Amino acid sequence: MSGIILLILRFVFTACLYLFLGWAIYTLWQELKRQSKTLDSYQIPPINLHLEGDGHSRTQTFSIPEISLGRNLSCDFCLEDHTVSTEHARLIYQQGQWWVEDLRSTNGTFLNQLPVHEAMVVTSGDELQCGQVIIEILIGEISL
């Protein structure tokens, strides 16, 4: 008789163990789905780069986390000026903010007339100067 009771207790214990494991896996799955929705809703605010000069203006809107600026045609924002290096600077979206960093350009990068020696935070309305080219930055606005 005690053998049958012991066998029933083993089955009950095993069933409880499997129920606990199933509950734990279900809870983890729900948490992963919630995190996935949170990451999907995370959006980079659009950034507009506005360039004016020689009687024409150009505005480009970006929603990517990294924007390269320079004379090279492979750059995201191409600047056709001899004072701009081929890969002059880049804008990066990190930690909920846009940052600018100089890529060891020849004529330097300036943010609101301050030289960029290390990454600096960019805000809407800032002026970015690459060589002799001045770019107005608007963040979170669709167009100018």
Side-chain angles (χ1 to χ4, degrees):
M1 185 66 132
S2 66
I4 293 175
I5 293 175
L6 188 59
L7 183 63
I8 291 171
L9 285 175
R10 283 184 182 173
F11 280 131
V12 168
F13 178 73
T14 304
C16 288
L17 183 63
Y18 279 115
L19 283 173
F20 174 76
L21 287 174
W23 173 78
I25 290 172
Y26 176 76
T27 303
L28 288 172
W29 179 257
Q30 292 298 319
E31 182 65 21
L32 283 173
K33 281 179 29 179
R34 189 184 67 77
Q35 289 290 333
S36 177
K37 285 180 183 177
T38 301
L39 289 175
D40 286 344
S41 67
Y42 170 77
Q43 292 182 349
I44 298 169
I47 184 169
N48 291 310
L49 302 180
H50 180 72
L51 176 65
E52 241 181 87
D54 296 335
H56 70 283
S57 67
R58 180 177 112 203
T59 301
Q60 218 169 330
T61 302
F62 296 95
S63 292
I64 55 177
E66 187 173 319
I67 304 164
S68 59
L69 295 95
R71 216 175 44 219
N72 193 338
L73 294 176
S74 68
C75 288
D76 299 312
F77 194 70
C78 189
L79 303 167
E80 298 171 10
D81 189 278
H82 68 282
T83 62
V84 176
S85 298
T86 53
E87 292 182 1
H88 197 98
R90 71 177 166 185
L91 293 162
I92 302 171
Y93 188 75
Q94 290 181 15
Q95 302 164 349
Q97 294 178 321
W98 280 101
W99 299 74
V100 64
E101 63 182 9
D102 184 62
L103 299 176
R104 290 185 250 156
S105 61
T106 306
N107 293 318
T109 302
F110 298 86
L111 182 64
N112 297 325
Q113 300 172 348
L114 296 172
V116 177
H117 297 297
E118 57 187 37
M120 295 175 70
V121 174
V122 176
T123 59
S124 192
D126 282 351
E127 283 189 353
L128 181 65
Q129 182 176 345
C130 298
Q132 297 299 317
V133 177
I134 296 176
I135 303 160
E136 184 182 1
I137 297 173
L138 293 172
I139 299 172
E141 299 178 28
I142 302 302
S143 64
L144 289 170

